[in-house]
Amino acid sequence: MAALSGLTARPASQAARKICRDACAYANGWFIMPAPLIFVLNGPNLNMLGTRQPEIYGAQTIDDLETECAETAEGLGFAIDFRQTNMEGELITWIQEARAKASGVVINPAGYTHTSVALMDALLALDIPVIEVHLSNIHKRESFRHNSYVSRAATGVVCGLGFAGYRLALLALSEILEEEDDDQ
């Protein structure tokens, strides 16, 4: 059974019915549970996509990126919470919120990649997979961009592939979460 409107269907065992009594819906021997929620978090200046250095970041906007992420997530059976901020503290608060709500995080920390130990510490406190994404290849740019504090907390990193990097990050999360389900 395919994902429907942010829901994923799976066969319902006796034990699963007991565990899922309050959180899930049932239909003909199947339980329908909410789709895994993925936080897609974006840091400073990404709200300027399409107008800020289009030769590096492309002509598409943050709204285009959100649409593409939502379509990809739906195809993978995920729900997403897509956010962008120019404030480091707000980004850290969202990461802390992900601890209780999300199954995984895709993050483009933008300029905070190279400067924020606090962001790294927040990500290290997560016990869910984190994929770091950069639209440009940070290793081909200025030398100060080559260091990423966020990478120290990330499960994986995708850079230099533009919007496709977000699609790949969501696909990677899908595979990681599926492996975790298989191991349980």
Side-chain angles (χ1 to χ4, degrees):
M1 188 177 229
L4 304 169
S5 302
L7 300 176
T8 301
R10 298 187 179 180
S13 67
Q14 258 328 57
R17 288 177 198 202
K18 228 183 237 186
I19 293 168
C20 205
R21 196 170 286 147
D22 297 326
C24 304
Y26 298 95
N28 299 321
W30 290 74
F31 70 86
I32 301 173
M33 52 192 245
L37 178 64
I38 305 300
F39 275 30
V40 180
L41 305 178
N42 297 279
N45 298 312
L46 290 169
N47 57 309
M48 302 295 290
L49 285 175
T51 58
R52 177 178 171 246
Q53 297 177 287
E55 69 280 3
I56 294 175
Y57 300 110
Q60 293 178 292
T61 68
I62 191 86
D63 291 335
D64 297 329
L65 179 58
E66 182 174 8
T67 298
E68 193 163 318
C69 286
E71 290 171 357
T72 301
E74 183 178 1
L76 294 168
F78 289 146
I80 65 164
D81 188 342
F82 187 98
R83 303 177 188 187
Q84 185 279 326
T85 184
N86 292 321
M87 296 180 287
E88 182 179 22
E90 187 168 34
L91 196 54
I92 290 167
T93 298
W94 292 344
I95 291 165
Q96 292 172 354
E97 184 182 334
R99 291 182 70 191
K101 294 182 178 179
S103 296
V105 172
V106 172
I107 184 167
N108 183 341
Y112 296 136
T113 302
H114 326 290
T115 63
S116 183
V117 172
L119 187 61
M120 177 190 70
D121 287 344
L123 290 165
L124 285 169
L126 294 177
D127 60 355
I128 57 177
V130 174
I131 307 294
E132 177 184 357
V133 176
H134 298 283
L135 296 168
S136 67
N137 183 344
I138 60 174
H139 303 289
K140 289 182 77 173
R141 299 189 60 197
E142 304 92 339
S143 61
F144 73 87
R145 295 186 193 274
H146 299 178
N147 180 55
S148 169
Y149 287 106
V150 171
S151 292
R152 296 167 195 217
T155 307
V157 180
V158 181
C159 72
L161 300 176
F163 282 20
Y166 284 79
R167 289 193 307 272
L168 292 170
L170 289 166
L171 178 61
L173 277 178
S174 175
E175 292 179 7
I176 290 166
L177 294 172
E178 189 173 305
E179 284 177 20
E180 287 176 359
D181 277 352
D182 290 346
D183 290 343
Q184 293 179 3

